[in-house]
Amino acid sequence: MPRMLPDGRRLGAHLPLAGGMVRAVNRAAEIGADAIQVFADNPTAWRRRETPPSEQPAFRARLADLGIGPVAIHAAYLVNLAGPDEGFFGRSVDVLSSDLRAAPGFRARFVNVHIGSHRGSGVTAGTQRLADGLALTLAEVDGGPDAALVVMENSAGSGFGLGVDIVELAGIMDAAVARGVSADRLGFCLDTAHAWAAGIDISEPAAIDEFIDEFETRIGLEKLVMIHLNDSKSERGSHLDRHEHLGAGQIGAVGLGHLLRHPALAHATFYLETPGMDEGYDAVNVARAHAIAAGARLDDLPPEAFELRSDRSRTGPGA
Ligand SMILES: [Zn+2]
Ligand SMILES: [Zn+2]
């Protein structure tokens, strides 16, 4: 299978750091990934480590040696800057700014964060709250040349999730800029499984083209810096976020292949968040991405492949 994607675009995977940080970089190279996404700390806890992991300098050196990047840090799942609860909002600002301050130590260009939920307070209120949260967060973080972008990920739309379509994503960018946030510090991530769950027909080239055109018109495609390339176990529009192996789910190889080859997306880095990263399916899905991009036939997966988890909850770095 060809090891290069069209137009030199880069493909990474979310890999666990718990088994060793250098080992994770070696694994990325071994499976043919160009880039890597990681958790900087426990993704399901508010508590952040006080000192960087001891392996961090070796991690940075190995990334440079093997030419692996860009690195994305996936922020804690708990972060919600769009909700009305004051205590939750304050903790979200703290933990997101902590992940952003940690980013240069990981050589990370992106800190990817879920846009969050307005919790029933409405899209307008949620968007304003998020803009306030971004302003407060970024005021806590040095914006120098090594600073990571805050990369906001589209929502599957369950539980009052904000950022389900271009109108809401554009509204978020406009509100943040109006609040005084520099657009240079912000970007977006398109999670294909979330878009599908939110009702966007990412299985259809024509619908993808329409989405991309609208993104360019309302936001600017240079702001679409990350793509979470996932297939989905769920029905379109179901609001259920359940990732599947590439080409083996409801989205399928036609839509995913259109994204992987789309000339307007060559600048974006694609990251897999597919099931079974700890069980060898990291390599399987990188190979499937290359096959899909090349329009090649995909191998059938064994039944046990469909029982694997994709929640990636055990994968922060050790000491
Ligand atoms: Zn995602
Ligand atoms: Zn997801």
Side-chain angles (χ1 to χ4, degrees):
M1 215 36 68
R3 299 294 275 189
M4 281 279 284
L5 290 171
D7 314 312
R9 76 193 65 203
R10 300 182 75 80
L11 171 72
H14 186 114
L15 295 180
L17 294 183
M21 296 178 72
V22 170
R23 197 172 145 205
V25 183
N26 290 340
R27 179 67 183 165
E30 193 179 305
I31 64 176
D34 314 298
I36 187 170
Q37 177 176 296
V38 299
F39 291 124
D41 207 333
N42 184 346
T44 57
W46 290 114
R47 224 184 109 81
R48 300 283 93 178
R49 63 168 72 246
E50 268 149 38
T51 51
S54 55
E55 230 191 321
Q56 210 181 53
F59 175 76
R60 289 196 301 268
R62 197 70 183 138
L63 289 165
D65 284 350
L66 295 177
I68 302 288
V71 176
I73 289 176
H74 195 302
Y77 290 121
L78 300 165
V79 171
N80 183 18
L81 297 174
D85 183 286
E86 288 289 342
F88 217 89
F89 179 83
R91 284 200 294 277
S92 295
V93 169
D94 288 347
V95 77
L96 182 57
S97 54
S98 162
D99 280 348
L100 281 159
R101 282 192 299 268
F106 288 85
R107 239 171 168 255
R109 192 188 300 168
F110 307 132
V111 172
N112 165 227
V113 64
H114 291 176
I115 286 173
S117 162
H118 62 68
R119 300 256 179 246
S121 64
V123 170
T124 308
T127 302
Q128 286 309 320
R129 194 76 173 147
L130 173 59
D132 289 346
L134 290 169
L136 288 168
T137 300
L138 286 167
E140 297 285 312
V141 184
D142 187 9
D146 292 338
L149 297 182
V150 177
V151 180
M152 295 176 283
E153 179 169 347
N154 66 310
S155 167
S158 64
F160 301 112
L162 192 63
V164 294
D165 58 23
I166 296 282
V167 173
E168 290 189 7
L169 298 176
I172 289 163
M173 183 56 108
D174 294 347
V177 169
R179 182 66 178 71
V181 177
S182 165
D184 293 345
R185 301 184 74 180
L186 301 176
F188 286 99
C189 172
L190 174 70
D191 185 307
T192 53
H194 296 184
W196 177 255
I200 301 169
D201 193 356
I202 218 93
S203 72
E204 269 295 324
I208 293 172
D209 290 347
E210 194 183 315
F211 179 89
I212 288 173
D213 286 351
E214 240 189 297
F215 199 106
E216 168 66 359
T217 305
R218 302 191 76 132
I219 303 171
L221 277 176
E222 72 284 358
K223 290 289 161 209
L224 185 55
V225 292
M226 293 174 63
I227 298 193
H228 281 164
L229 193 74
N230 301 309
D231 212 323
S232 174
K233 291 188 204 299
S234 310
E235 297 296 322
R236 178 160 77 91
S238 64
H239 306 300
L240 292 173
D241 178 26
R242 296 184 303 164
H243 299 189
E244 187 54 283
H245 303 289
L246 300 186
Q250 301 286 324
I251 300 173
V254 172
L256 298 175
H258 193 68
L259 286 163
L260 274 167
R261 291 184 298 265
H262 206 294
L265 300 179
H267 66 286
T269 308
F270 292 65
Y271 297 90
L272 306 176
E273 295 178 325
T274 41
M277 291 293 189
D278 287 328
E279 288 93 357
Y281 285 86
D282 50 354
V284 169
N285 280 295
V286 168
R288 289 173 79 86
H290 282 101
I292 288 170
R297 220 191 74 84
L298 293 172
D299 294 334
D300 289 336
L301 291 165
E304 60 268 24
F306 299 99
E307 282 146 34
L308 295 161
R309 293 147 53 100
S310 64
D311 64 7
R312 298 167 284 120
S313 61
R314 303 154 289 153
T315 57

